[in-house]
Amino acid sequence: MSAPHTVPDTETGADVVSPLPRVAGLALDLTGRTALVTGAAGGIGRACALRLAAAGARVRAVDRAAEGLETLAEEAGALPGTLEPRLLDLTDLDAAEAEAAGTDILVNNAGMQLVRPIEEFPPDVFHTVLTVMLEAPFRLIRGALPHMYGQGWGRIVNLSSVHGLRASAFKSAYVAAKHGLEGLSKTAALEGAPHGVTSNCVNPGYVRTPLVERQIADQAAAHGIPPQRVLAEVLLKDSALKRLIEPEEVAEAVLYLCTPQASFITGSSLTLDGGWTAH
């Protein structure tokens, strides 16, 4: 990172110190930063953990899937940063908050899905979904903020969804959790701004992950169509781009929000939805 430089003030014309370093292109070096990624054993979380480690970060990879974490650690072995597997069930909220202490970058990604009509939706599953996808992010942010505030810098990236901005039938718990996460992220942005901490959501459409693949049978049953018609008639129905987004594409957006050039982006929702919300 280069030394601070001056730029002319737009109103007075006097030179003032720029809040950004003089760099060519994006600064992707996160050497020295500690990042925590939840749901890191697969899908978007895996891609984010590997991308942050590739940028030099020390990554705490949190998941409850031990085998997936072991594989992830092997994949990250040759990267510039480090990756430490952390076995944790996010329903243990006290442990989740403690795990976030000392992190510079927090990526709230862990999620789960069940497709059912509201009148058939199991209340215990509804409770678990909101615990993992809304209450746990709150506790993780709560655990991370003291360190971020103390150093005057931090990045919170919440993996929301197009379902944080739009609703779909038969996904009451998931949609409720993602809408809540949007509000939590904006509140963290307002409180964190005086301390150099940004908080944003990344909102992909359907991503090529096991979470999406596992819901195809449920979607077929809920909509009364064969499984082979679900992708075109349900998942991609409202998307202008008729394909699934790749986890690595989402990870690039997450990384961008951690760069110096993204320091003025906070309280936002970055949509990667293939044109879904353009309707």
Side-chain angles (χ1 to χ4, degrees), residues 76-233:
L79 296 177
T82 60
L83 190 144
E84 182 179 351
R86 301 287 185 98
L87 194 62
L88 177 65
D89 187 330
L90 291 178
T91 60
D92 186 343
L93 297 171
D94 289 339
E97 182 171 329
E99 187 65 53
T103 55
D104 307 305
I105 297 166
L106 172 61
V107 180
N108 282 313
N109 165 75
M112 53 196 304
Q113 179 65 278
L114 180 66
V115 180
R116 293 284 191 283
I118 291 175
E119 70 275 17
E120 299 175 12
F121 207 101
D124 60 326
V125 176
F126 190 96
H127 174 76
T128 300
V129 170
L130 264 69
T131 299
V132 171
M133 294 174 55
L134 182 56
E135 193 168 1
F138 160 71
R139 295 292 294 270
L140 286 154
I141 292 171
R142 189 174 187 271
L145 283 181
H147 171 72
M148 293 181 179
Y149 284 2
Q151 67 181 2
W153 191 94
R155 295 287 189 267
I156 299 167
V157 184
N158 299 297
L159 264 300
S160 182
S161 163
V162 69
H163 284 111
L165 307 173
R166 298 288 190 273
S168 288
F170 312 123
K171 295 185 174 183
S172 55
Y174 189 88
V175 171
K178 292 301 189 184
H179 274 65
L181 186 63
E182 294 281 330
L184 174 63
S185 183
K186 289 177 172 63
T187 301
L190 296 178
E191 294 184 14
H195 306 280
V197 175
T198 65
S199 175
N200 293 286
C201 286
V202 174
N203 301 66
Y206 285 101
V207 186
R208 193 185 306 278
T209 66
L211 184 70
V212 169
E213 292 168 355
R214 284 194 297 266
Q215 67 176 280
I216 288 179
D218 284 346
Q219 288 278 16
H223 289 273
I225 60 175
Q228 60 269 26
R229 290 168 51 189
V230 167
L231 187 64
E233 297 182 23

Side-chain angles (χ1 to χ4, degrees), residues 1 29-35 56-59 104-105 151 153-154:
M1 185 175 294
D29 185 5
L30 297 179
T31 301
R33 298 295 188 189
T34 297
R58 297 184 297 262
V59 179
D104 307 305
I105 297 166
Q151 67 181 2
W153 191 94

